[in-house]
């Protein structure tokens, strides 16, 4: 199985990154659905073995074809733990937090029992195929909105494993959004286990679920530009408006795959709304930005690329990102970010060390790589 990304041949990032802990908050696995089926309980095992798609749509026709004549570089991408470790070593990545690919669409599955079976099978699969086979691999265990109680039981089952770094809550096609109190069993289990919650952005063209009215967008350019940051903005508004950080004050919440500039906008916008309509959210005893700085973290990919990298440094300072921004590459996707891209942002060596890995070690409560202190 192949996908597209920008090769890194010839980039000598290791010379500059060698002494820095590099924790990649977003490395995707290309799931082998028939392989996952071997971990699935009956009767749903037969459904997967028949190669039906995990989300409620077929996956054989590419959603966004290239225009005729467009050139697209391709290279093989790792589909097993050993090859993935080799690829990440070439990028100077010490620790990788592994995410699903196809099963990130599981929130859109209308059959609750099927969704639970796939969640359980995926969690067994990633544990066996990746988290126990190579050094430096940490996983996000999948949780689903269709059955918060079953998700809470999954958290209780896996959260004690040293290579489980967080609970994945897909931000695509979720209805209601993640602030709803029906999800409190998930948050309570995560807080009790002292494990982070990972909101992963995504898009859905098929369901008219806020904020995914995307059917008017007929290219990747338009759909992707809109979907990922808006999905996290909607999630952020939902969880703050519903008081999730207040009800679960020890919870650590991480937002992934939408860059970071949206965070500054949300801090300013939510604080303004709080000043003008505090009667709507009496449970918020502090400005929303206080919770966003204290309990929330933000992965860099796709890092914004202004003409001057100093502008991104300014944005990071605006949001208190010296302590809350986390490097992510989004391997192996087309918009993959090499660690060097983030490491080159003009910050002091101490701040670079924190953004490249130290903040993630703290947010995920991971030990520092051997020979590389987080701060």
């Amino acid at each position: 199985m192949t996908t597209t990304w920008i090769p890194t041949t010839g980039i000598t990032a290791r010379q500059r990154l060698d002494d820095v802990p590099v924790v990649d908050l977003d490395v995707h696995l290309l799931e082998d659905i028939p392989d996952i089926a071997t971990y699935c309980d009956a009767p749903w095992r037969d459904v997967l073995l028949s190669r039906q798609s995990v989300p409620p749509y077929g996956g054989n026709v590419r959603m966004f074809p290239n225009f005729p004549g467009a050139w697209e570089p391709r290279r093989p991408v790792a589909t097993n733990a050993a090859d993935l470790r080799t690829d990440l070593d070439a990028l100077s990545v010490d620790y990788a937090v592994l995410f699903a690919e196809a099963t990130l669409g599981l929130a859109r599955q209308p059959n609750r029992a099927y969704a639970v079976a796939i969640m359980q099978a995926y969690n067994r699969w990633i544990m066996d195929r990746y988290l126990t086979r190579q050094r430096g691999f940490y996983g996000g265990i999948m949780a689903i909105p269709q059955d918060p109680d079953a998700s809470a039981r999954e958290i209780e089952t896996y959260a004690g494993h040293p290579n489980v770094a967080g609970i994945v809550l897909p931000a695509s096609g979720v209805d209601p959004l993640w602030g709803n109190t029906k999800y409190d069993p998930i948050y309570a289990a995560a807080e009790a286990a002292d494990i982070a919650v990972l909101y992963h952005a995504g898009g859905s063209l098929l369901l008219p679920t806020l904020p995914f009215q995307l059917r008017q967008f007929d290219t990747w350019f338009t759909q992707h530009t809109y979907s990922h940051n808006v999905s996290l903005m909607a999630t952020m508004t939902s969880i703050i408006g519903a008081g999730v950080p207040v009800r679960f004050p020890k919870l650590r919440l991480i937002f992934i795959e939408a860059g970071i500039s949206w965070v500054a906008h949300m801090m300013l916008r939510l604080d303004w709304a709080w000043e003008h309509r505090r009667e709507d959210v009496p449970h918020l005893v502090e400005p929303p930005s206080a919770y966003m700085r204290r309990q929330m973290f933000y992965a860099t990919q796709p890092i914004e690329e202004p003409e001057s990298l100093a502008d991104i440094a300014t944005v990071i300072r605006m949001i208190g990102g010296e302590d809350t921004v986390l490097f992510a590459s989004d391997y192996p996707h087309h918009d993959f970010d090499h660690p060097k891209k983030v490491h080159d942002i003009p910050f002091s060596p101490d701040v670079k060390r924190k953004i490249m890995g130290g903040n993630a070690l703290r947010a995920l409560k991971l030990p520092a790589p051997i020979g590389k202190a987080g701060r």
Side-chain angles (χ1 to χ4, degrees), residues 314-373:
T314 298
V315 171
I316 291 174
R317 292 188 187 97
M318 285 177 62
I319 64 174
E322 298 98 325
D323 296 310
T324 59
V325 166
L326 319 171
F327 166 71
S329 74
D330 196 31
Y331 170 101
H333 291 154
H334 61 279
D335 52 350
F336 156 92
D337 284 345
H338 194 285
K340 184 177 184 298
K341 182 182 292 187
V342 176
H343 191 263
D344 282 350
I345 296 174
F347 272 121
S348 70
D350 180 61
V351 172
K352 288 186 180 186
R353 179 176 292 273
K354 290 197 291 184
I355 290 174
M356 295 306 300
N359 291 339
L361 298 178
R362 178 168 56 89
L364 301 176
K365 297 209 166 180
L366 301 179
I370 296 175
K372 294 186 176 183

Side-chain angles (χ1 to χ4, degrees), residues 108-129:
R108 307 194 293 270
Q109 171 53 243
N111 187 306
R112 182 193 62 81
Y114 185 37
V116 170
I118 300 303
M119 170 186 68
Q120 294 171 340
Y122 171 82
N123 290 340
R124 296 165 186 159
W125 175 82
I126 189 176
M127 183 66 65
D128 185 42
R129 297 296 192 195

Side-chain angles (χ1 to χ4, degrees), residues 21-254:
V22 179
V23 181
D24 191 337
L25 254 291
D26 191 17
V27 171
H28 285 271
L29 304 174
L30 301 181
E31 305 102 306
D32 184 314
I33 299 302
D35 191 25
I36 290 179
T38 65
Y39 296 84
C40 189
D41 295 332
W44 299 111
R45 181 188 305 114
D46 293 337
V47 176
L48 280 182
L49 285 174
S50 69
R51 294 178 180 269
Q52 292 193 27
S53 180
V54 171
Y57 55 84
N60 295 326
V61 179
R62 188 173 179 183
M63 185 67 72
F64 296 117
N66 282 346
F67 282 97
W71 178 77
E72 183 180 4
R74 303 181 72 86
R75 59 149 282 179
V77 170
T79 56
N80 61 70
D83 289 347
L84 180 59
R85 185 64 264 177
T86 298
D87 274 7
L88 296 177
D89 282 344
L91 299 172
S92 300
V93 171
D94 297 297
Y95 291 168
V97 180
L98 307 181
F99 284 86
E101 181 71 20
T103 41
L104 274 177
L106 195 54
R108 307 194 293 270
Q109 171 53 243
N111 187 306
R112 182 193 62 81
Y114 185 37
V116 170
I118 300 303
M119 170 186 68
Q120 294 171 340
Y122 171 82
N123 290 340
R124 296 165 186 159
W125 175 82
I126 189 176
M127 183 66 65
D128 185 42
R129 297 296 192 195
Y130 285 89
L131 301 189
T132 58
R133 298 201 177 200
Q134 291 289 327
R135 58 181 167 79
F137 283 176
Y138 294 88
I141 294 301
M142 185 71 67
I144 56 172
Q146 294 93 329
D147 194 328
D149 290 327
S151 294
R153 290 192 292 272
E154 286 291 282
I155 295 170
E156 293 166 357
T157 297
Y158 290 104
H161 193 281
N163 291 82
V164 172
I167 307 304
V168 179
L169 301 186
S172 172
V174 179
D175 186 10
L177 293 170
W178 284 113
N180 193 283
T181 56
K182 70 173 282 189
Y183 304 125
D184 280 4
I186 294 176
Y187 294 131
E191 187 178 58
D194 197 21
I195 193 169
V197 171
L198 314 172
Y199 299 101
H200 196 290
S204 170
L205 286 171
L206 300 181
L207 299 180
T209 304
L210 182 75
F212 297 109
Q213 290 89 359
L214 302 180
R215 286 171 290 184
Q216 296 185 54
F217 297 122
D218 62 355
T219 65
W220 175 91
F221 172 87
T222 50
Q223 190 261 4
H224 191 273
T225 298
Y226 175 87
S227 63
H228 284 56
N229 59 334
V230 173
S231 75
L232 292 190
M233 291 166 70
T235 299
M236 173 77 74
T237 303
S238 174
I239 64 174
I240 287 183
V244 170
V246 179
R247 297 201 308 276
F248 303 97
K250 297 180 181 179
L251 206 59
R252 302 182 304 284
L253 312 171
I254 302 177

